[in-house]
Amino acid sequence: MTSIMTNASAMTALQSLSATNRSLETTQGRISTGFRVSEAADNAAYWSIATTMRSDNKALSTVQDALGLGASKVDTAYTAMNRAVEIANEIKVKIVAAVGQSEDNKSKIQTEIETLKTQLKSYADGATFSGTNWLAVNSTVANGHAAAGTHNDAQIISSFNRDNDGNVVLTTIKIGVQDVKLFDAAATTNETKGILEGIRDTTTGARTDGHTQAVAGTVAATTGYSIATLDVVGFSDQQIQQMLVVVDKTLAEMTDAATKLGAAKKSVDLQKTFVSQLMDSIDRGVGQLVDADMSKESTRLQALQVQQQLGIQALSIANGNAQNILALFKG
């Protein structure tokens, strides 16, 4: 049936052209933004996943910064501890040299020891980065510690992730400051004082509460020594040999402390590498979900542009059919 009221061909052509235009608009949007899912309306599930993962990646970027800061703190303490070990070894050599010496020579040796002791304190005090010092501390109750002289572990944020329920989980790398500190201004007992200042037993070399600094010429079971208070002037060879035991044990503890700091340094470095790789993996994963395939979209764009031209042509033909009806009324 031929009708001038209803042009079915034009309707069909218009619907087809409208569908082509919508597809063309979508494709052009993907090409201009680079995303096939740029908002929730495009794909709610993928958009939600991508948005969450992007947010988590920003948090990981902060973790990466924290690891960088933590690495600097550990490296500072590690470097100072290694230098302190070298100085303590020199003190050990001086103690050995003092055995059998005259008081005049002991006085000269003590002058060298005092210089080395000052250098040890300087290394400890100088091991500060961004206001943090793990070698020379002041572990007071006011700073939130359990007891005066007992320092809490330092913590470096190492990762940001989610559990199976989607809850955020932060993990940290802990540094046992109590085990590596060389001086503690707040400590009141030998066992809680720093490695260099706690009075040590003359037999075991362990920091022992109740022991006091030994007096020249007097050997007692409850007296001891520490590197921080070491003095060979006026002391007998027997006492100097006891000092050697104390210095040797102190060196062993300092070596253990350097080992712990070295292990923490390695752990932080490994975690920095892992976090960097993890961020790249998340970026790739998000890209798989929401990025547009530009090769595919460009090909699709060309096809849709052809379809659009054909649709316009078809609509033009359909609209022209109404004009042909006029020919029926010409005489």
Side-chain angles (χ1 to χ4, degrees), residues 24-328:
L24 187 60
E25 183 180 347
T26 298
T27 301
Q28 288 174 331
R30 290 176 178 177
I31 291 174
S32 63
T33 63
F35 295 113
R36 68 186 178 94
V37 179
S38 59
E39 56 186 26
D42 296 330
N43 187 313
Y46 283 4
W47 180 85
S48 176
I49 293 171
T51 300
T52 300
M53 295 309 296
R54 288 192 186 107
S55 176
D56 287 356
N57 231 18
K58 289 181 180 179
L60 280 174
S61 178
T62 302
V63 170
Q64 194 174 42
D65 293 341
L67 283 167
L69 180 61
S72 298
K73 292 178 180 179
V74 174
D75 191 53
T76 299
Y78 177 71
T79 300
M81 183 63 76
N82 280 338
R83 293 293 297 138
V85 168
E86 293 176 8
I87 297 299
N89 269 313
E90 292 186 35
I91 291 177
K92 181 179 178 180
V93 171
K94 301 302 178 184
I95 295 298
V96 173
V99 176
Q101 295 293 330
S102 65
E103 287 303 311
D104 183 56
N105 286 338
K106 286 180 181 179
S107 178
K108 294 176 182 178
I109 291 173
Q110 183 61 34
T111 300
E112 294 181 280
I113 291 175
E114 289 299 327
T115 300
L116 294 173
K117 285 160 58 177
T118 300
Q119 193 63 53
L120 281 174
K121 190 65 169 68
S122 176
Y123 286 156
D125 290 341
T128 301
F129 186 91
S130 186
T132 300
N133 190 324
W134 296 333
L135 302 189
V137 304
N138 188 337
S139 52
T140 60
V141 176
N143 289 334
H145 301 285
T150 302
H151 200 291
N152 285 345
D153 292 344
Q155 299 188 59
I156 301 172
I157 296 177
S158 59
S159 69
F160 174 98
N161 48 56
R162 296 179 183 274
D163 60 20
N164 293 333
D165 296 324
N167 299 316
V168 171
V169 177
L170 290 176
T171 57
T172 61
I173 295 173
K174 293 184 178 181
I175 310 296
V177 179
Q178 186 66 21
D179 297 328
V180 303
K181 66 181 184 180
L182 299 180
F183 298 94
D184 190 338
T188 56
T189 65
N190 291 326
E191 292 183 1
T192 60
K193 286 181 178 180
I195 295 173
L196 295 177
E197 58 184 354
I199 303 298
R200 297 175 180 271
D201 184 81
T202 57
T203 301
T204 65
R207 283 172 282 173
T208 306
D209 288 341
H211 277 43
T212 57
Q213 176 65 34
V215 179
T218 302
V219 177
T222 57
T223 59
Y225 309 91
S226 72
I227 286 184
T229 58
L230 210 57
D231 189 345
V232 298
V233 177
F235 286 81
S236 66
D237 286 350
Q238 180 186 0
Q239 289 180 305
I240 292 175
Q241 289 176 26
Q242 291 176 339
M243 294 178 193
L244 187 59
V245 172
V246 167
V247 172
D248 191 60
K249 180 61 176 179
T250 303
L251 266 169
E253 286 189 19
M254 293 174 71
T255 302
D256 287 344
T259 300
K260 291 175 181 177
L261 289 171
K265 183 176 184 295
K266 182 66 174 179
S267 180
V268 170
D269 288 342
L270 289 172
Q271 192 64 20
K272 283 174 61 181
T273 301
F274 170 71
V275 170
S276 178
Q277 293 174 342
L278 181 60
M279 291 174 66
D280 291 342
S281 296
I282 292 175
D283 282 337
R284 288 193 297 268
V286 171
Q288 291 292 326
L289 289 177
V290 301
D291 287 357
D293 185 337
M294 300 304 285
S295 298
K296 180 179 177 181
E297 296 301 333
S298 64
T299 301
R300 182 175 176 81
L301 177 64
Q302 294 181 24
L304 287 170
Q305 287 173 337
V306 172
Q307 291 178 32
Q308 184 186 49
Q309 293 171 8
L310 291 174
I312 293 172
Q313 188 65 34
L315 182 59
S316 177
I317 293 171
N319 288 332
N321 288 337
Q323 297 295 323
N324 294 333
I325 297 177
L326 292 177
L328 299 176

